[in-house]
């Protein structure tokens, strides 16, 4: 065990260094991983048999040791470093951590089997995007887990009461829009269960969801002056994060791309010779070839030269800290850059407000709705229609006078 422990720590050190973790992080991760292995050795537990239970037990023990040595409890986030180091070690040993959940009873086996078949059906029969499938599968697992609490045969006797009870359970703390999404995901599962013969009656029509009216909410919108202020503020930040964020904001402001389209943009998607950029629309699975405009090209090139870490990852925009992988989301980045520029939209302040602004700018420039939809990657002109309500000043300009209105007080 002792020799194996040294080999594991050496392998962990090598793995972390190859991922370009800082020397301080490598040292801390290896220290906590080594302590965890010592604890396992004393308890006679092979590292190959470790579960989440042993990890949490060790972290509680480490907190107790910290308190005993220093006379106080560690900070609320102190456990993140030892946990990350231990998880890095376990990923090295197991190949994946946290490990995939394994069925513990007959009900779990049935639930896992249904979800696995449902996922294949969503992907191959309905052709849904990965993010949509993930949301549908999460809802399916949650619903089936609660249903099977009443017994493994409870699915055959699924009733409207069971559906209503689940929706009542999910409703608290959800907005009307979120609750409607839950209802749509549940309807999809119920239709599938009926189609495959697992449920005798199609209960999807009995799922009650809140009514949402078309275009009932007007999203936030940036004017040209605010966009320029945000771009200039980010441009002044010459750190790696600043160079990255400025390039992202240029893509948002000029092309109106979706967050996922920017996060999945790869090195080979930019052709510097022909000055074009290939955008993969994640919602429609289509592609658009756009001209690489000068502000965008200069911003991306500055990031690639001076801000992007050296890595084999093909996505252009990466985290600024190891492990260097593509960004998970852009919302916090955009929100921070808006705040730094002193721009405070009245509503949501995520990357989509740049998309709204770009659409309105094109509408005001008399660009045909079909062309706007093509640039934004919309599947139909109906998807572009919601942006029309944002050009309120344009609508006021063409408003008709109503006879008799001048007589009203």
């Amino acid at each position: 065990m002792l020799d194996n422990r040294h080999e594991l720590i050496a392998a962990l050190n090598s793995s972390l260094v190859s991922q370009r973790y800082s020397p301080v992080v490598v040292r801390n991760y290896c220290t906590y991983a080594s302590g965890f292995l010592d604890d396992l050795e004393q308890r006679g537990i092979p590292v190959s048999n470790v579960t989440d239970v042993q990890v949490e037990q060790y972290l509680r023990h480490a907190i107790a040791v910290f308190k005993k040595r220093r006379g106080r409890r560690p900070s609320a986030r102190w456990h993140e470093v030892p946990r990350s180091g231990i998880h890095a070690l376990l990923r090295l040993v197991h190949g994946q951590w946290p490990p995939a959940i394994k069925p513990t009873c007959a009900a779990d086996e049935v639930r896992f089997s249904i979800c696995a078949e449902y996922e294949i059906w969503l992907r191959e029969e309905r052709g849904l995007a990965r993010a949509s499938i993930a949301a549908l599968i999460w809802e399916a697992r949650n619903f089936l887990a609660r249903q099977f609490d009443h017994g493994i045969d409870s699915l055959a006797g699924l009733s409207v009461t069971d559906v209503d009870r689940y929706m009542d359970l999910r409703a608290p703390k959800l907005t009307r829009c979120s609750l409607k999404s839950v209802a749509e995901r549940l309807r999809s599962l119920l239709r599938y269960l009926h189609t495959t013969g697992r449920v005798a009656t199609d209960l999807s029509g009995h799922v009650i969801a809140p009514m949402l009216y078309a275009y009932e909410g007007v999203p936030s919108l940036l004017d040209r002056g605010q966009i320029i202020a945000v771009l200039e503020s980010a441009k002044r930040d010459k750190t790696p994060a600043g160079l990255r964020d400025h390039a992202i904001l240029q893509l948002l402001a000029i092309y109106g791309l979706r967050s996922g389209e920017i996060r999945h943009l790869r090195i080979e998607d930019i052709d510097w010779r022909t000055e074009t950029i290939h955008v993969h629309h994640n919602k429609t699975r289509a592609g658009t070839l756009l001209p690489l405009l000068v502000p965008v090209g200069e911003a991306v090139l500055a990031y690639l030269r001076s801000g992007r870490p050296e890595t084999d990852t093909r996505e252009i925009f990466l985290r600024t800290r190891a492990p260097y992988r593509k960004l998970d989301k852009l919302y916090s980045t955009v929100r921070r850059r808006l705040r730094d520029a002193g721009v405070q939209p009245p509503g949501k302040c995520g990357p989509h407000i740049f998309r709204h602004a770009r659409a309105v700018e094109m509408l005001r420039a008399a660009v045909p709705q079909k062309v706007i939809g093509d640039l934004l990657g919309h599947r139909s002109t109906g998807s572009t229609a919601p942006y029309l309500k944002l050009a309120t000043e344009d609508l006021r300009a063409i408003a008709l006078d109503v006879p008799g209105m001048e007589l009203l007080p």
Side-chain angles (χ1 to χ4, degrees):
M1 181 72 176
L2 187 62
D3 293 338
N4 187 40
R5 182 176 71 84
H6 286 306
E7 293 175 1
L8 284 174
I9 296 302
L12 175 62
N13 183 89
S14 177
S15 174
L16 295 173
V17 170
S18 67
Q19 296 178 66
R20 300 181 61 80
Y21 280 83
S22 71
V24 173
V25 173
V26 173
R27 183 171 63 252
N28 288 338
Y29 278 18
C30 289
T31 298
Y32 286 115
S34 180
F36 178 64
L37 289 175
D38 288 341
D39 181 70
L40 291 178
E41 182 181 10
Q42 293 173 6
R43 297 160 62 186
I45 302 175
V47 67
S48 57
N49 294 344
V50 167
T51 66
D52 281 327
V53 174
Q54 282 85 37
V55 176
E56 294 305 317
Q57 288 175 347
Y58 176 76
L59 289 174
R60 288 195 294 269
H61 169 71
I63 291 174
V65 172
F66 184 101
K67 184 177 180 180
K68 182 177 180 181
R69 289 178 178 175
R70 307 194 184 187
R72 61 177 178 83
R73 288 184 61 84
S75 64
R77 299 184 61 181
W78 173 86
H79 65 278
E80 292 181 2
V81 174
R83 176 178 278 119
S84 297
I86 293 169
H87 284 186
L89 172 72
L90 294 175
R91 281 194 296 272
L92 197 65
V93 175
H94 295 266
Q96 175 185 347
W97 195 269
I101 300 175
K102 298 180 180 179
T104 58
C105 59
D108 280 351
E109 292 181 356
V110 175
R111 179 165 62 95
F112 285 16
S113 175
I114 292 175
C115 288
E117 295 172 9
Y118 182 43
E119 183 174 2
I120 295 173
W121 181 77
L122 291 171
R123 183 175 61 253
E124 297 183 357
E125 297 295 328
R126 295 191 56 190
L128 298 183
R130 184 180 304 173
S132 299
I133 293 175
L136 287 160
I137 292 297
W138 186 94
E139 202 70 57
R141 288 171 178 163
N142 198 38
F143 175 79
L144 292 173
R146 296 185 182 279
Q147 184 61 28
F148 282 139
D149 284 343
H150 304 295
I152 192 171
D153 298 324
S154 62
L155 194 60
L158 187 66
S159 65
V160 176
T161 302
D162 296 319
V163 174
D164 289 343
R165 186 185 298 115
Y166 179 78
M167 290 299 294
D168 290 340
L169 185 68
R170 294 282 279 127
K173 300 181 180 180
L174 289 181
T175 63
R176 291 168 58 245
C177 183
S178 297
L179 189 58
K180 184 175 178 63
S181 297
V182 171
E184 291 171 349
R185 294 194 291 266
L186 184 57
R187 287 176 186 141
S188 173
L189 173 65
L190 293 173
R191 282 192 294 268
Y192 174 77
L193 293 175
H194 174 63
T195 301
T196 55
R198 292 185 171 90
V199 175
T201 306
D202 184 3
L203 299 175
S204 60
H206 297 278
V207 180
I208 301 175
M211 178 67 72
L212 298 182
Y213 298 95
Y215 318 145
E216 67 177 45
V218 178
S220 300
L221 181 65
L222 298 176
D223 59 40
R224 174 47 52 180
Q226 291 174 316
I227 293 175
I228 292 175
V230 175
L231 291 173
E232 289 298 322
S233 175
K235 188 176 182 179
R236 289 192 293 269
D237 185 354
K238 300 301 182 182
T239 65
L243 295 172
R244 180 199 66 191
D245 295 351
H246 180 240
I248 289 173
L249 291 169
Q250 288 284 5
L251 287 164
L252 288 170
I254 291 181
Y255 300 118
L257 300 183
R258 299 182 181 95
S259 171
E261 292 164 354
I262 293 177
R263 291 186 295 106
H264 293 97
L265 200 62
R266 297 169 65 88
I267 297 291
E268 55 268 24
D269 290 330
I270 297 182
D271 190 332
W272 299 97
R273 187 179 299 277
T274 61
E275 297 184 347
T276 56
I277 178 171
H278 187 211
V279 178
H280 303 273
H281 301 295
N282 48 302
K283 291 190 71 172
T284 61
R285 297 188 178 182
T288 301
L289 194 64
L290 301 173
L292 183 62
L293 300 182
V294 174
V296 175
E298 290 180 347
V300 172
L301 193 59
Y303 169 63
L304 293 175
R305 285 175 171 171
S306 307
R308 189 176 185 271
E310 295 181 9
T311 174
D312 294 333
T313 303
R314 300 303 298 171
E315 283 78 15
I316 293 177
F317 300 108
L318 309 176
R319 288 161 36 105
T320 56
R321 298 173 60 184
Y324 298 118
R325 56 174 180 263
K326 69 178 181 181
L327 298 172
D328 295 326
K329 55 185 177 180
L330 297 184
Y331 185 88
S332 57
T333 298
V334 172
R335 184 175 182 178
R336 183 177 64 255
R337 292 300 173 180
L338 289 171
R339 184 181 65 245
D340 292 346
V343 175
Q344 297 181 340
K348 294 182 178 180
C349 52
H352 227 65
I353 60 176
F354 287 90
R355 186 173 174 85
H356 295 150
R358 189 71 187 103
V360 170
E361 284 183 346
M362 288 187 287
L363 283 170
R364 290 173 177 166
V367 177
Q369 186 174 340
K370 177 64 169 64
V371 176
I372 297 174
D374 290 342
L375 176 63
L376 298 180
H378 288 159
R379 183 174 293 173
S380 66
T381 54
S383 301
T384 313
Y387 296 99
L388 292 169
K389 65 180 177 179
L390 295 168
T392 53
E393 295 303 322
D394 303 66
L395 297 178
R396 291 192 184 100
I398 62 174
L400 298 176
D401 293 331
V402 178
M405 289 297 291
E406 65 277 0
L407 301 179
L408 295 177

